[in-house]
Amino acid sequence: MGKYEEALLEILSRIADKIPEGHKEYPVKAYIAGGVAVYLYTQARVSDDIDMHIYNKIEDFPQDLYITWNDNGEERKLAYDYTYHEGFGLKHEDFDKRLNHYKTIDNKFEIYLLHPLDLIISKIARFEENDEADIKELIAKCNVDKDQLYNLADDAIKVAFGVKEKDMRQHLEWTMEFF
């Protein structure tokens, strides 16, 4: 395990420390999206913030949650993104049925990763340069099924709120060219 994943686990542990022991019977659940999830699947790009949705409110949630370390003379930082919410991006309505378990901490905090298909769908909305690179890496390293991706993304676009359907359809077509 590298320093990046060690930093991630330290941040997740600090969150778990704030979860009462009573949650061992019913653990708090969360999922990681964005660049950190892409990294955990591909080791291709390091993101400096953790996009994570936690399903329960945690009292006394840690503030200024970040880790810094020296990486071959370069100062690195990984921080919890307090502004992320699951309404960002494009999501298929059944994304939560495809979550992949990542870690359980102290039997009271269960962390999942968005499935590679759903990570790609979430990146189709913004489709900036790093999103395109992430999509290509996920397709190459995660054995993504082209037809399944197209069908799930098409469904997500049909019911999306607050996005330009024409733009999403164009981004989806460009994504299909990555196969």
Side-chain angles (χ1 to χ4, degrees):
M1 178 183 334
K3 290 184 178 187
Y4 183 75
E5 195 168 354
E6 288 174 10
L8 172 62
L9 291 174
E10 175 63 26
I11 289 172
L12 296 174
S13 292
R14 289 182 187 177
I15 295 169
D17 288 345
K18 298 297 183 178
I19 299 172
E21 293 297 310
H23 276 280
K24 287 186 175 184
E25 188 174 344
Y26 300 102
V28 170
K29 294 183 179 180
Y31 69 83
I32 297 174
V36 171
V38 172
Y39 172 82
L40 292 170
Y41 284 117
T42 68
Q43 287 71 50
R45 176 178 71 91
V46 174
S47 176
D48 61 359
D49 68 338
I50 304 168
D51 297 331
M52 183 167 68
H53 175 74
I54 301 173
Y55 286 96
N56 303 72
K57 181 179 179 183
I58 299 173
E59 296 295 327
D60 195 27
F61 195 88
Q63 297 301 309
D64 297 324
L65 196 49
Y66 67 90
I67 301 289
T68 59
W69 69 96
N70 187 303
D71 186 17
N72 297 322
E74 184 179 344
E75 182 76 11
R76 306 288 270 170
K77 179 179 181 179
L78 180 62
Y80 180 84
D81 184 349
Y82 293 89
T83 64
Y84 177 81
H85 66 82
E86 70 173 345
F88 287 159
L90 185 64
K91 282 200 181 68
H92 186 273
E93 62 187 346
D94 293 332
F95 78 93
D96 56 335
K97 293 180 175 116
R98 288 181 293 278
L99 293 172
N100 289 319
H101 186 263
Y102 172 59
K103 294 278 182 204
T104 299
I105 300 174
D106 296 335
N107 295 316
K108 59 184 177 177
F109 191 30
E110 292 182 358
I111 302 108
Y112 296 82
L113 302 176
L114 274 184
H115 188 279
L117 288 164
D118 295 296
L119 277 170
I120 292 171
I121 291 168
S122 73
K123 291 179 167 293
I124 286 173
R126 194 171 67 168
F127 213 74
E128 292 181 2
E129 188 174 323
N130 63 324
D131 297 311
E132 288 183 58
D134 289 347
I135 291 168
K136 289 176 183 177
E137 286 293 328
L138 289 163
I139 288 170
K141 294 184 177 168
C142 296
N143 212 15
V144 173
D145 180 271
K146 181 179 182 178
D147 293 332
Q148 186 180 20
L149 173 61
Y150 185 88
N151 291 333
L152 291 172
D154 181 59
D155 287 348
I157 292 168
K158 286 176 184 172
V159 298
F161 180 76
V163 298
K164 294 181 180 175
E165 184 173 346
K166 181 180 176 186
D167 291 346
M168 298 305 102
R169 297 230 169 263
Q170 181 62 64
H171 298 169
L172 177 57
E173 293 307 316
W174 289 336
T175 298
M176 292 297 105
E177 293 174 8
F178 297 154
F179 283 89

